[in-house]
Amino acid sequence: MATVNLPRVDIDKPRYDQSTYVGRAKHFFSITNPLNIFATDKELRNAKHIVDTYRSGGDVGSITIDELWRAKELYDSAFHPDTGEKMFVIGRMSAQVPMNMTITGLMMTFYKSTPAVVFWQWINQSFNAIVNYTNRSGDSPITNKQLATSYILATGGALSTALGLNSLVKKAPPLIGRWVPFAAVASANCINIPMMRLKEIQEGVAVSDANGNKLGYSRRAALDGIMLVTLSRIGMATPGMVIVPIFMDRLEKKGFLARYPWSTAPIQLALIGLCLTFATPMCCALFSQQAAIHVAMLEPDLREKIRKLPDPPDIVYYNKGL
């Protein structure tokens, strides 16, 4: 059966219901699927051909709706949504789990040595910069100055936190020291995300009614969205960087790590990879992409503008970002 004879679906919207947590989780499990980074160039070109042809109303051959969505999943995993250009592989969403697993695992393995702390925090923030640049908006691109400033401040914040806390917890229980990398990553997120979205903080983010009609720009909505994204990013890191250290601390107390010192990094990498495989999509799904805010919470001028409309809404919506 040719796809053109199947019911048309809007492939520019998520496949799953985004008004429910389960639907959002399914969506993010598909776009963060690490297996997508192994797709060959031929497979990616074929997926792009199917998506482009289907969008234009052409005949893409005898494929099912499931195969169409699989092509869209591959397309989204590798091509920029605004420019259509193929993205650098380690900056893709599908690379988040393997890259973060490796960096976080090594960051937590070598957390005691100052040179190692500096090196791995620098590597982590360099990776974040690559991800931010790769996924930059095509409509409102991140400037090189903004990227550089965010990179320097986030790296400085992470290093200050890690090195400062390491010096304070020398006499604390070993588990406390194992949690220092998490504190550094959390602090870097609190710096990096607002810096990358500084334009939204200054000018506001577009808010719309339930029908998608743009009503204006709100700085308050932008701040709320940035807070939600920061919480979800910290949430992604929490299972691997808070729970895994408890398990490793137990192994250390039982003498397992002393008997098998070579096993520390592999065990942490495996456990963190398992945590991130689930935590990444599940935390991305915590808050709806189209977030809601009460009109009463908006800036006075925008609030009054909306209330003067013929049928003013009580709630408006905005894209919170990722």
Side-chain angles (χ1 to χ4, degrees):
M1 184 184 296
T3 298
V4 288
N5 295 324
L6 292 175
R8 293 290 298 182
V9 295
D10 188 353
I11 59 173
D12 291 319
K13 293 182 179 179
R15 182 179 188 180
Y16 305 102
D17 182 6
Q18 297 299 285
S19 67
T20 68
Y21 176 76
V22 172
R24 295 195 297 271
K26 286 181 177 179
H27 170 68
F28 284 109
F29 266 107
S30 71
I31 67 173
T32 62
N33 183 357
L35 297 178
N36 287 337
I37 62 175
F38 297 109
T40 64
D41 188 61
K42 180 180 179 181
E43 289 173 323
L44 293 177
R45 286 200 309 270
N46 183 56
K48 188 176 189 303
H49 170 73
I50 291 173
V51 170
D52 290 343
T53 303
Y54 188 84
R55 277 174 171 162
S56 64
D59 184 357
V60 293
S62 301
I63 66 171
T64 65
I65 289 294
D66 283 340
E67 290 170 333
L68 172 65
W69 279 114
R70 174 55 185 160
K72 181 60 164 51
E73 177 185 320
L74 270 182
Y75 174 85
D76 287 343
S77 76
F79 296 94
H80 194 282
D82 294 331
T83 66
E85 296 177 355
K86 188 185 292 185
M87 296 183 288
F88 185 45
V89 64
I90 68 172
R92 300 174 189 172
M93 286 299 291
S94 53
Q96 291 294 294
V97 171
M99 289 300 299
N100 276 319
M101 174 188 74
T102 304
I103 295 171
T104 303
L106 293 171
M107 189 190 305
M108 292 172 61
T109 299
F110 304 106
Y111 68 96
K112 293 182 179 179
S113 163
T114 297
V117 168
V118 172
F119 179 75
W120 287 111
Q121 290 293 344
W122 169 66
I123 288 291
N124 187 44
Q125 294 310 317
S126 297
F127 170 64
N128 287 339
I130 291 172
V131 172
N132 289 330
Y133 180 77
T134 303
N135 294 279
R136 66 198 183 281
S137 170
D139 296 326
S140 181
I142 301 168
T143 65
N144 290 336
K145 181 180 178 181
Q146 193 175 350
L147 266 173
T149 303
S150 174
Y151 174 61
I152 293 168
L153 290 177
T155 303
L159 287 174
S160 299
T161 303
L163 296 176
L165 289 179
N166 270 347
S167 65
L168 292 175
V169 302
K170 286 180 179 178
K171 295 182 180 179
L175 179 58
I176 302 300
R178 290 183 179 275
W179 280 334
V180 168
F182 172 70
V185 168
S187 67
N189 274 321
C190 292
I191 297 169
N192 191 30
I193 296 170
M195 281 302 305
M196 296 306 299
R197 297 175 62 176
L198 186 60
K199 186 175 181 180
E200 291 179 24
I201 296 173
Q202 295 170 335
E203 301 178 7
V205 65
V207 296
S208 307
D209 61 19
N211 297 318
N213 299 309
K214 188 181 295 184
L215 304 175
Y217 290 83
S218 169
R219 293 183 298 276
R220 173 58 191 271
L223 290 171
D224 283 2
I226 290 168
M227 178 188 68
L228 295 178
V229 170
T230 302
L231 288 175
S232 66
R233 294 276 188 94
I234 294 174
M236 291 177 205
T238 299
M241 301 190 80
V242 173
I243 298 173
V244 172
I246 296 174
F247 180 78
M248 298 302 293
D249 188 61
R250 293 287 298 273
L251 290 182
E252 188 172 41
K253 288 179 178 178
K254 291 179 179 295
F256 181 87
L257 299 182
R259 292 195 301 272
Y260 307 101
W262 55 267
S263 68
T264 302
I267 291 174
Q268 288 201 134
L269 284 170
L271 291 175
I272 291 169
L274 180 65
C275 289
L276 285 172
T277 298
F278 293 94
T280 300
M282 292 176 73
C283 287
C284 280
L286 284 175
F287 309 106
S288 178
Q289 187 74 22
Q290 288 300 314
I293 184 171
H294 285 275
V295 171
M297 302 296 292
L298 299 175
E299 297 89 332
D301 56 339
L302 179 58
R303 184 168 63 234
E304 292 306 313
K305 176 184 175 183
I306 292 173
R307 285 176 174 171
K308 289 179 181 178
L309 295 173
D311 187 17
D314 292 324
I315 296 175
V316 292
Y317 302 88
Y318 64 97
N319 187 339
K320 73 170 179 61
L322 280 176

